[in-house]
Amino acid sequence: MDKIADHLPALSRASLLRALTWRTSLSSRKENHARIWDHIFKNDKWIVKVLQIKNGDNGAPVPCLVGSQLQKFYYGSPQRVFLALLVNDWTGDVNCLRKTFFDSLRDYEVVEKDSIIRLKGSGILLHIADAIGRNDEGWISMEDPSQLFRRRGSRLSTQAIYYNEEVLHEIGQTDIGGIDGRSMKKKKAVRDICSIKLKFREGLPVYRVFISPRKKVKVVNLQSLDENGRDWVTHWRIARRHEREWWTNN
């Protein structure tokens, strides 16, 4: 039975393991990965449809969870965890799957419409805007983006896990962008706007930007080249007097 479970997608594996009351000799990594997605979804209908979307050489979507408390969740403690569910969809097709998405979720209550839900069984707070296509050219509105990060001294980190991989990815300071020159105290540098380097389904890099609707400072975009030579807005600086906001400065 374990050999069968070993080759199943995460949610199918979770269903089988639940029937076995989670008694298994599977690696803890495979079991933990299955358990995470099982806490959120009761079936894989939405996930299957997302994984069927193609985007040529530009990067295809993949469900992904991001948050500084993901490690806690991964090892079996989902209560009071805040996570962002992303799909990294550059086609716009995910926007057509909203009904399937909500029908696939475990019991939930809406905390903020089109933004945050609470899973009733686990208490997980899940930011869903990207999963239902609510973003502005890939930029995601989030009341306080800094809650995605953990701060140790002057360095930030977070974690990510993808549906098509069982690895828990640690994301460090070099893959996190914020407003240059702003203090890390109280994570101020990433409170208004930030970026996280993630990846598309094929492994191509993608930088996701989170922006607070309460942002008060004017900023100028700063770009970086990824390893494939593609330009991304990855960090910002405070706009100078009379300088137009969002003007891109390389």
Side-chain angles (χ1 to χ4, degrees):
M1 191 67 71
D2 288 345
K3 289 183 179 180
I4 296 173
D6 190 55
H7 292 90
L8 291 173
L11 284 172
S12 299
R13 183 187 307 143
S15 296
L16 178 58
L17 294 178
R18 199 182 313 107
L20 298 171
T21 62
W22 296 92
R23 291 192 299 271
T24 173
S25 61
L26 282 179
S27 71
S28 59
R29 188 175 71 180
K30 288 181 179 291
E31 185 174 327
N32 291 343
H33 180 261
R35 197 190 301 266
I36 280 179
W37 294 100
D38 186 61
H39 271 298
I40 298 170
F41 294 100
K42 62 186 177 186
N43 64 58
D44 64 357
K45 292 180 181 178
W46 175 77
I47 288 175
V48 167
K49 288 182 181 293
V50 171
L51 295 178
Q52 288 173 343
I53 297 172
K54 296 180 173 59
N55 194 27
D57 296 327
N58 296 314
V62 60
C64 169
L65 292 167
V66 177
S68 65
Q69 299 168 309
L70 190 53
Q71 186 173 20
K72 175 182 175 183
F73 186 10
Y74 187 77
Y75 290 109
S77 180
Q79 282 77 17
R80 303 178 66 84
V81 170
F82 176 83
L83 299 171
L85 174 62
L86 309 179
V87 287
N88 304 335
D89 175 37
W90 255 237
T91 69
D93 291 353
V94 164
N95 194 36
C96 302
L97 302 176
R98 293 184 65 179
K99 184 179 186 305
T100 306
F101 172 74
F102 286 111
D103 288 347
S104 297
L105 289 169
R106 294 208 174 275
D107 288 346
Y108 67 91
E109 59 185 1
V110 175
V111 177
E112 294 178 19
K113 185 180 178 183
D114 292 341
S115 179
I116 299 175
I117 61 171
R118 178 182 289 106
L119 280 303
K120 292 182 178 180
S122 61
I124 298 163
L125 282 173
L126 192 66
H127 193 280
I128 61 169
D130 193 59
I132 58 175
R134 291 292 189 180
N135 60 60
D136 184 3
E137 296 185 355
W139 289 26
I140 302 160
S141 178
M142 181 177 286
E143 192 70 18
D144 180 8
S146 71
Q147 63 191 314
L148 291 172
F149 306 102
R150 178 192 303 114
R151 181 178 69 86
R152 290 179 179 170
S154 61
R155 302 188 68 80
L156 298 174
S157 66
T158 190
Q159 289 119 19
I161 196 164
Y162 300 86
Y163 188 78
N164 61 340
E165 295 180 4
E166 290 138 9
V167 179
L168 181 65
H169 295 268
E170 186 74 23
I171 299 172
Q173 184 72 45
T174 56
D175 292 328
I176 297 168
I179 300 177
D180 290 356
R182 287 198 116 184
S183 171
M184 284 296 177
K185 189 176 182 180
K186 297 184 179 179
K187 299 182 281 190
K188 192 174 180 181
V190 291
R191 191 171 296 280
D192 289 318
I193 190 168
C194 67
S195 73
I196 302 175
K197 185 181 181 182
L198 298 168
K199 58 185 179 180
F200 291 111
R201 190 161 73 230
E202 305 86 347
L204 296 170
V206 56
Y207 287 82
R208 302 310 311 271
V209 173
F210 301 84
I211 181 169
S212 172
R214 298 184 298 169
K215 184 184 75 66
K216 296 179 180 178
V217 295
K218 290 174 61 177
V219 296
V220 169
N221 296 334
L222 300 174
Q223 292 182 317
S224 301
L225 284 176
D226 67 22
E227 49 267 44
N228 297 314
R230 186 173 179 180
D231 273 321
W232 300 91
V233 174
T234 58
H235 56 300
W236 299 263
R237 64 169 172 78
I238 302 294
R240 301 185 184 98
R241 189 178 179 185
H242 305 309
E243 196 169 31
R244 181 163 54 90
E245 185 170 27
W246 304 123
W247 177 72
T248 298
N249 184 346
N250 294 317

